[in-house]
Every structure is written in structure tokens, then in C-alpha cells.
Amino acid sequence: MTNLLGKVAVVIGAAGENNMGQHIARTLADAGAKVVVAGRKAEPLKAIAGAIAGDWALCDLSKKADVEALATTVLERHGKVDIAINATGWGLLKGLHEITEEELDQIIALQLKGVHYFLSAFVRAMPHGGSLIQISSATTQCVIDDHAAYIATKAGSEALIRCVANQYGPQGIRANVLSPGFTYSPMTEQSFAVPGLADAFVKEYPLGRVGTSEDIAKAALWVVSDDCFMSGQNLQINGGLTLRRNPRPHEIQAAVGAAMAAMQAAGN
């Protein structure tokens, strides 16, 4: 088992109950790390920190001052940062001509500028090296309709990671990306509730199922470990989805329609 005893880890985006950030935090804590969870809501952060014997701090990733204050706070409380993971995201599903200027500004602030703030702050907090992870998305490789702003900003975050890996490798910093596909999480719970919708996606996954937050957390555990001799890479933790593609809208509609018809027939 990977041993992270003595390591100090920060997980941003862990304020949603049972979300991907919280799964990652629990996995790192189980491996022995002292984990600091961060996000915008105090009560769930306090709860997860208590459950894993960790620490917590408020942080809005879209605000540079918040991110820099988080790095400073962790250094003051724990003396160092060995691991920093950004698991924030906003699954904005909206057509190119429908997205408002305000929404575009918001997603850029969170998924591009926020990643820049995250990397800048924690590179400086790791003068003796460490591991940085950005959670991106398989959609930057396997595009899906009505997701352009999300995909574009996630792709930008991947480019930032490559730049950091190249420039700060001599400092002992490894920077990598984990890219889930369609993953069961609080952010996608409503989608999974639509009869037949998940079926349209499952057939595109060679391993026969969509992902879970545990899949991502287990991958993160290896990537942050000292056994991982890798940097500047984008790991596709999505069951082989990138060998195929995401379903087209008409295929999703057909799968949902078939499931609804089957339910009606069973009811009759």
C-alpha cells in the first residue's frame, strides 16, 4: 500500500458532500497524509476534516488572494506542502450561442484563471519539490456537444500543467492531469437519474462501465506517491473512453426514449 506518512496534502474542491475532492481527501488520509481540505463552504469542510483527522480552510479558487492565503495558511499551520490537488469544476452544459457573457466569465475565472492561481501559489509553497494534480476531463479528447466553454477552459488547464512540469521539474515538482469521463458524482447525479441516459455512455467505454470518484482517488494516490516517476502527463482515468467517443445527442435521446418506452410498457 502507498505510504504517505509525513506528507502534507491540500485538496481544493472538497466542500461538496461525497464529491470527488472528498473521495481524494479520504484516500490520501487513509494512506497516512495530513490532508487540508479547502473550498467555499465551511460546514462540509469541517465535517470531512473531522472525519479524516485533517484540517480545513475556506478558499474561492476564482480569487487570487484566497488561493495565496490558502497556501500561506497551510505553510503556517503544517510547515510544508508536499501535495496539492485541484478538484474544482463547473459542469456548464450550454450551447455556444446560449451561454451568457457572465457565465463565460465565471467559468474562465474558475477553470482557467483559478488553475493559474493554484499552480502559482503552490509552486512557491514547494521549494523542495512536491506533486501537483489538476483534475480535467476526457471531453478535451472526446468532445461532446453543448460543452464548449467547459472543454476550452479544461484544455487550458492542461496546458498550464505542462508548462509547470517543464519549468519546475528541476525544483523537484511533478505536475500531472487526471481526466475522468462521465463519472458518478454529486455534479452528475441528476444526469444519472434520467432513465437510459447512462446507457448511451456505457456502450462507449471498453471496460463496460462509467467511472467513479474512487477510480480517480486511487489514481491520484499513485500519482502523488514518491514511486511515480512521471510529470507533464494527462492520465485518462476513464475506462478506455478515449479509444472511442462520447455519444452524439441523437444517440442519447434514443437511449432515453427507449428506456422511457420500456418503463411505460412494464407499467402497462
Side-chain angles (χ1 to χ4, degrees):
M1 178 179 175
T2 300
N3 188 340
L4 298 182
L5 284 173
K7 302 286 189 181
V8 175
V10 180
V11 180
I12 306 175
E17 184 177 356
N18 211 33
N19 70 359
M20 190 175 294
Q22 291 198 355
H23 278 273
I24 292 171
R26 290 190 190 99
T27 298
L28 301 187
D30 287 345
K34 172 63 70 173
V35 181
V36 182
V37 290
R40 295 184 296 177
K41 299 177 182 178
E43 292 308 313
L45 290 172
K46 289 180 184 178
I48 184 66
I52 63 174
D55 195 3
W56 68 278
L58 289 173
C59 179
D60 183 340
L61 191 75
S62 66
K63 297 178 180 178
K64 182 179 181 180
D66 272 26
V67 182
E68 292 183 343
L70 172 63
T72 299
T73 296
V74 177
L75 288 173
E76 289 175 348
R77 292 180 185 174
H78 303 284
K80 63 174 182 172
V81 179
D82 301 295
I83 297 161
I85 299 174
N86 177 30
T88 63
W90 177 25
L92 179 61
L93 186 61
K94 208 166 186 180
L96 192 67
H97 301 296
E98 298 172 335
I99 188 170
T100 66
E101 185 175 359
E102 181 182 15
E103 289 169 332
L104 187 59
D105 287 341
Q106 288 175 344
I107 201 164
I108 290 171
L110 178 66
Q111 293 193 169
L112 184 60
K113 292 175 68 175
V115 178
H116 192 286
Y117 301 152
F118 160 69
L119 295 172
S120 174
F122 284 95
V123 160
R124 285 177 285 151
M126 296 177 171
H128 305 296
S131 179
L132 296 162
I133 291 180
Q134 169 65 34
I135 304 297
S136 184
S137 169
T139 57
T140 66
Q141 306 295 317
C142 299
V143 298
I144 191 167
D145 287 5
D146 295 333
H147 229 38
Y150 176 88
I151 292 169
T153 47
K154 284 293 189 182
S157 75
E158 294 173 5
L160 285 170
I161 282 287
R162 293 180 68 242
C163 292
V164 167
N166 178 63
Q167 185 167 351
Y168 295 95
Q171 187 175 312
I173 289 177
R174 294 181 294 105
N176 292 288
V177 174
L178 301 182
S179 288
F182 191 36
T183 303
Y184 188 82
S185 70
M187 188 171 75
T188 60
E189 191 171 4
Q190 290 184 336
S191 296
F192 275 93
V194 177
L197 188 144
D199 296 337
F201 285 84
V202 169
K203 69 183 183 62
E204 302 295 349
Y205 286 72
L207 291 185
R209 67 170 176 85
V210 298
T212 66
S213 293
E214 287 89 346
D215 295 326
I216 308 305
K218 290 174 182 177
L221 180 61
W222 176 71
V223 172
V224 302
S225 74
D226 292 337
D227 294 331
C228 179
F229 183 62
M230 178 182 68
S231 194
Q233 303 305 306
N234 185 345
L235 276 72
Q236 300 293 324
I237 315 299
N238 47 54
L241 172 66
T242 50
L243 297 171
R244 299 180 182 176
R245 60 180 177 84
N246 273 307
R248 301 291 294 158
H250 71 274
E251 294 170 327
I252 296 173
Q253 292 170 4
V256 171
M260 295 295 290
M263 290 173 62
Q264 291 175 352
N268 293 334

